[in-house]
Amino acid sequence: MSGKNKSSEVHTFDIEVFDAESPDACLIMGHGAGAGKEHVFMQDMAKALVAKGVSVVLFNFPYMQTIKATGKRRPPDKAEKLMSHFITLIKSCCNEKETLNNLPVFVGGKSMGGRMATMVYEELGNVKGAIAFGYPFHPPGKPENTRTDHLLKACKPLLIIQGERDTFGTKAEVEDYGLPSSIECEFLEDGDHSFKPRKASGTTQQAHIVKAAELTATFISGVLSNP
């Protein structure tokens, strides 16, 4: 499937659809900076969401498609290009009735993918809300370099699910940001950026992924019941 935006840039899509049984909504999810939709976190999260009644569309950004094609590592594209691809893909999926089955649409993603979702969802009228799994509030070790300016202006519903000890934004740091009431933050006990806790915590990464899927399904249900 491919599409074209208003500029001369051609978008080639690399997507994977996970259909839930009797789904309430569809979540279009972007991946993190270092790994694509094939990464175990993305696959496990998609399957956990499907089990909670949420269909999922995973996709690879253009630079990750190039990595897959060439086998050579490369950094992510600039935010503008990532956002352009995300927006065009969302619009294309919404026009493809067999892809979304006319379901309510939410967008989200892991780390960078979640950040891109929060940067595009406000301008897309058919997108009901966004979910970020491990939001990169700042680069690790650089808490002064925050990526929160656009979040402070958020109006549409947004759910951020964060590990308590995420080096991209710990629970204590996030709670100090004073995010608007439209943003709901949930924290996973002792989780890192990929929700993985230490063994001594008594829980597991898979348990946190299931919990994140439950939180997402509850969030989506709440948004849809309050149009």
Side-chain angles (χ1 to χ4, degrees), residues 171-186:
K171 180 179 180 180
E173 290 172 336
V174 175
E175 290 179 340
D176 281 342
Y177 288 141
L179 298 175
S181 59
S182 58
I183 300 179
E184 178 183 341
C185 291
E186 297 285 353

Side-chain angles (χ1 to χ4, degrees), residues 5 23 39 47 55 103 144 222:
N5 66 3
H39 189 267
K47 293 169 186 174
S55 290
L103 291 167
E144 69 280 1

Side-chain angles (χ1 to χ4, degrees), residues 9 61-64 66 74-83 85 112 116:
E9 182 181 2
F61 286 106
Y63 79 96
M64 189 58 65
T66 300
R74 58 178 291 161
D77 295 314
K78 297 290 187 181
E80 291 75 14
K81 185 171 182 179
L82 297 174
M83 291 165 62
H85 185 80
M112 180 196 75
M116 292 303 110

Side-chain angles (χ1 to χ4, degrees), residues 191-225:
D192 65 7
H193 193 50
S194 293
F195 302 163
K196 186 176 181 179
R198 291 167 290 197
K199 289 184 178 180
S201 70
T203 188
T204 64
Q205 182 187 38
Q206 188 59 38
H208 279 341
I209 287 174
V210 171
K211 179 63 175 178
E214 292 173 351
L215 291 167
T216 299
T218 299
F219 169 77
I220 287 174
S221 178
V223 172
L224 295 180
S225 64

Side-chain angles (χ1 to χ4, degrees), residues 4 13 38 50 69 111 116 127 149 151 156 163-164 219-220:
K4 192 172 182 180
F13 300 140
E38 296 81 11
V50 164
S111 192
M116 292 303 110
V127 173
D149 286 353
L151 298 180
K156 278 188 178 181
E164 287 184 343
F219 169 77
I220 287 174

